[in-house]
Amino acid sequence: MSNPFLKQVFNKDKTFRPKRKFEPGTQRFELHKKAQASLNAGLDLRLAVQLPPGEDLHDWVAVHVVDFFNRVNLIYGTISDGCTEQSCPVMSGGPKYEYRWQDEHKFRKPTALSAPRYMDLLMDWIEAQINNEDLFPTNVGTPFPKNFLPTVRKILSRLFRVFVHVYIHHFDRIAQMGSEAHVNTCYKHFYYFVREFSLIDTKELEPLKEMTARMCH
């Protein structure tokens, strides 16, 4: 394992949360395997994200949301030692974009926070959503709730902000570690997926518009 990125990923570190796994034998596990097989076969990412015939959209989306959470979490974890209260006192994506945190508990109004504090709250919040059985049911046949897709849109919009911050403020670290291609592939996979199912407003994608145009078209 000579790749420093992989070494970072497999080192146990506080920034790497336990992965939400799919139980073998379940429909979700089979879908996860199908999605992984497409990626491993080098299938065009635009095609890999499409809903397989006969599969349920909510199940397909649930599998990908969990997978993107795990991947983005690892990407941020690899650069987190360089993302500090001092280096990133504001959660931003360049001078034009500042992201404020809001939730149902402590931060009821949008609040300016440092990037590491924002990331911590974000990862905790997403983890709580995907481990909530009422929202992400794991039993086959249990219907998804009406607020599933609205919540997914919120999760993915917030995960996109991690890409924005990493690309704009920490890309030198990514390049230095030799993991540029890996991060770019993760981003393209994420981008094609949210576009395929209209899961993020176009205006949210604005900060990486130029880079995305070069990379994904």
Side-chain angles (χ1 to χ4, degrees), residues 22 26-32 59 62-63 136-138 144:
F22 301 102
T26 63
Q27 173 75 2
R28 207 76 48 81
F29 180 74
E30 294 307 316
L31 274 182
H32 181 63
D59 277 321
V63 162
F136 279 72
T138 50
F144 284 85

Side-chain angles (χ1 to χ4, degrees), residues 149-167:
L149 285 177
T151 304
V152 159
R153 286 191 174 94
K154 200 169 183 180
I155 290 172
L156 294 173
S157 292
R158 287 177 164 184
L159 276 179
F160 180 76
R161 295 170 182 185
V162 181
F163 278 118
V164 173
H165 185 73
V166 167
Y167 270 119

Side-chain angles (χ1 to χ4, degrees), residues 104-118:
E104 304 80 33
H105 306 293
K106 193 175 171 188
F107 299 97
R108 290 179 178 273
K109 290 182 180 167
T111 307
L113 298 170
S114 69
R117 179 87 177 103
Y118 185 103

Side-chain angles (χ1 to χ4, degrees), residues 5-143:
F5 178 76
L6 290 177
K7 278 186 181 157
Q8 289 267 132
V9 166
F10 289 104
N11 282 345
K12 286 199 171 123
D13 185 278
K14 65 180 171 52
T15 53
F16 302 151
R17 291 144 198 277
K19 278 188 160 194
R20 169 74 192 264
K21 292 203 167 60
F22 301 102
E23 291 300 316
T26 63
Q27 173 75 2
R28 207 76 48 81
F29 180 74
E30 294 307 316
L31 274 182
H32 181 63
K33 280 204 312 194
K34 196 177 281 190
Q36 287 305 310
S38 295
L39 293 179
N40 295 342
L43 188 67
D44 181 336
L45 289 169
R46 283 186 186 85
L47 300 175
V49 298
Q50 292 174 1
L51 181 67
E55 298 297 356
D56 178 73
L57 172 66
H58 290 75
D59 277 321
W60 187 242
V61 168
V63 162
H64 282 81
V65 169
V66 173
D67 194 42
F68 290 138
F69 168 66
N70 289 332
R71 287 166 190 261
V72 173
N73 201 16
L74 287 177
I75 289 168
Y76 180 69
T78 60
I79 60 92
S80 61
D81 56 346
C83 183
T84 64
E85 302 280 333
Q86 290 72 40
S87 68
C88 305
V90 174
M91 173 57 183
S92 61
K96 276 174 70 178
Y97 300 95
E98 181 185 330
Y99 299 120
R100 298 184 170 211
W101 181 256
Q102 185 174 18
D103 57 31
E104 304 80 33
H105 306 293
K106 193 175 171 188
F107 299 97
R108 290 179 178 273
K109 290 182 180 167
T111 307
L113 298 170
S114 69
R117 179 87 177 103
Y118 185 103
M119 297 294 187
D120 245 8
L121 289 165
L122 173 59
M123 299 307 178
D124 283 345
W125 177 78
I126 296 177
E127 204 167 19
Q129 306 309 305
I130 62 179
N131 286 307
N132 178 347
E133 276 287 331
D134 294 333
L135 195 57
F136 279 72
T138 50
N139 293 330
V140 177
T142 304

